[in-house]
Amino acid sequence: MLRAAMSITVFGLTGGIGSGKSTVAARFRARGVPVIDADLLAREVVAPGTPGLAEIRARFGDEVIDTRGELDRARLAEIVFHDDDARRALNAITHPRVRDLALTRVQALAAQGEPLACYEVPLLIESGLGDVLRPLVVVVVDPATQVERTMRRDGSTRDHAEARIRSQMPLAEKARLADHVIDNGGSVADTLARTDQVLDAICREKGLDPGRYPAP
């Protein structure tokens, strides 16, 4: 999917809900590495006026469109969380569009002479990209911390947070498939230090000078 622009190395960044991969992505950005956020792309492809939103409306009805004509993401999530067929239908609408937009962004970065970029995807492995986006960086935390952070972030109950976590591949399983693991269960300083180590290792692996991406 992204190999068409392989004058640039695109490495993957993933984790799970509440694992803190956004902290890691922010550190990569702070050091000058372009980060393509799949969540932001997913919002772009269903923005008002897009074919993606029109197709979602046709499949799921007006109930998933709010009064401003935008996608009611909470209502749609409620529908697909409990219905496998609905989730597959949504993925069939959004995933190809997100992939195409990601490839466009990667090609633009390659044209600008960027040698390295990060693609941040929540369900990277589940989407079948684990073997494409290498090196693969996985952010992990212990289960209790993951639940607590998910509750704080979403304002949800413990039962709801645990159900959302169970719906994803366990972090331990993702970690076994990773080239680099970042444990985000300690202090922010520890996480940033480990992130720096991982980025420096990726640079050396790809023949790049880590000094190209200095720490802020």
Side-chain angles (χ1 to χ4, degrees):
M1 162 260 191
L2 296 176
R3 292 191 183 279
M6 279 301 138
S7 59
I8 180 173
T9 292
V10 183
F11 67 91
L13 172 63
T14 194
I17 183 172
S19 66
K21 64 180 173 54
S22 295
T23 299
V24 173
R27 184 63 169 188
F28 288 149
R29 289 190 184 94
R31 288 191 57 178
V33 177
V35 177
I36 301 169
D37 185 338
D39 278 345
L40 295 181
L41 300 186
R43 291 179 180 272
E44 286 189 45
V45 301
V46 297
T50 60
L53 184 60
E55 193 169 343
I56 287 175
R57 188 172 203 158
R59 170 62 176 78
F60 294 97
D62 290 342
E63 66 176 302
V64 300
I65 308 298
D66 67 19
T67 56
R68 298 170 298 179
E70 298 178 353
L71 181 64
D72 187 335
R73 301 176 71 87
R75 176 61 184 136
L76 183 59
E78 182 181 339
I79 293 171
V80 303
F81 186 75
H82 300 287
D83 186 331
D84 289 343
D85 288 339
R87 184 166 61 251
R88 282 191 288 268
L90 175 63
N91 290 344
I93 294 169
T94 60
H95 284 186
R97 290 179 167 89
V98 170
R99 285 195 298 269
D100 290 346
L101 186 54
L103 180 57
T104 297
R105 298 289 167 79
V106 169
Q107 289 172 331
L109 290 170
Q112 294 165 17
E114 291 285 354
L116 189 67
C118 171
Y119 191 30
E120 178 188 358
V121 192
L123 301 180
L124 186 153
I125 297 171
E126 295 91 330
S127 300
L129 297 175
D131 290 331
V132 176
L133 298 169
R134 293 284 181 174
L136 175 60
V137 180
V138 173
V139 184
V140 302
V141 291
D142 63 89
T145 300
Q146 188 178 15
V147 171
E148 294 297 329
R149 287 179 178 173
T150 300
M151 291 171 61
R152 286 198 303 269
R153 191 194 74 171
D154 298 343
S156 63
T157 65
R158 181 173 299 276
D159 286 346
H160 184 73
E162 290 176 345
R164 290 201 62 190
I165 291 169
R166 284 196 302 271
S167 73
Q168 298 183 350
M169 180 185 294
L171 286 176
E173 186 174 343
K174 291 185 178 184
R176 285 194 292 271
L177 300 172
D179 298 295
H180 302 280
V181 175
I182 297 175
D183 187 337
N184 190 32
S187 69
V188 173
D190 288 342
T191 298
L192 297 183
R194 175 59 182 153
T195 301
D196 287 341
Q197 292 173 356
V198 167
L199 178 56
D200 291 349
I202 291 173
C203 286
R204 288 191 291 269
E205 176 185 338
K206 298 302 177 180
L208 299 172
D209 179 3
R212 181 187 177 99
Y213 305 104

